Amino acid sequence: MTTRQQFPRARRLTPMTMLRIAGLLAIAAPAFSHAATAHVSCLDTFANGVCVHGSADTGAAPMRVIDLAATKRDVSVQYGETVRFVAGDRSFIWTFNGLGGRNVLLSRIAPEGFQTHGVAVEVDVDPSTQS
C-alpha cells in the first residue's frame, strides 16, 4: 500500500508582506552593491575587500572631470571628492573616501585597460581625522 505524502500548501504573500520585502531590499541592496563594486577596479584592499583609496560607482555625481589626455602631471583631490577620469572614449568615476593623506597611482584604481598615462592622485587628508 502506498501512501501519498502531504506537502504543506505554499502561503500567498499579501501586498503588505511584499511591500515590506521590497523595502528591506531597497535598504540592503546599496550596502551589498557597494561592497561588491568597491574592490572591482582597486588593487589595494583591506581584508574585507573594501578599497583603501575610496570607492567606484557610489552614485555620486562627479564634482569635476579630469581629462588625462590634457593632464600630464599628477593631480590633487580633496578627501571625499568624486572625480570622473577621461582617457579618449573611456571614463570612470571614483570617490576618494578611503584613507586620506595618500598618493595613489591612478593605475591602481582604474579599470583594466584604462590608459592612465602614469598619472598619480594626491588625496588630501580626511578632515574628520584632524584635531
Side-chain angles (χ1 to χ4, degrees):
M1 177 170 167
T2 60
T3 58
R4 196 169 143 201
Q5 189 174 16
Q6 293 286 329
F7 291 101
R9 228 165 87 158
R11 262 181 43 179
R12 274 187 95 179
L13 296 177
T14 65
M16 183 57 94
T17 302
M18 289 190 291
L19 185 61
R20 287 181 181 149
I21 292 170
L24 288 172
L25 288 174
I27 291 169
F32 290 109
S33 67
H34 172 73
T37 61
H39 70 286
V40 169
S41 58
C42 180
L43 298 178
D44 306 310
T45 59
F46 293 109
N48 64 358
V50 175
C51 184
V52 170
H53 309 295
S55 42
D57 204 14
T58 59
M63 299 170 182
R64 67 176 158 151
V65 176
I66 297 175
D67 186 355
L68 296 175
T71 303
K72 299 298 181 197
R73 58 181 176 76
D74 296 347
V75 294
S76 295
V77 298
Q78 296 293 317
Y79 179 85
E81 186 175 7
T82 301
V83 179
R84 172 182 230 108
F85 293 98
V86 178
D89 62 343
R90 296 188 68 191
S91 69
F92 75 97
I93 297 174
W94 192 266
T95 301
F96 292 92
N97 58 355
L99 294 177
R102 305 177 71 104
N103 288 351
V104 57
L105 285 173
L106 195 55
S107 61
R108 303 293 293 172
I109 59 173
E112 187 175 326
F114 190 87
Q115 296 298 319
T116 61
H117 305 286
V119 172
V121 180
E122 181 180 330
V123 183
D124 197 13
V125 295
D126 180 355
S128 68
T129 61
Q130 301 302 301
S131 52

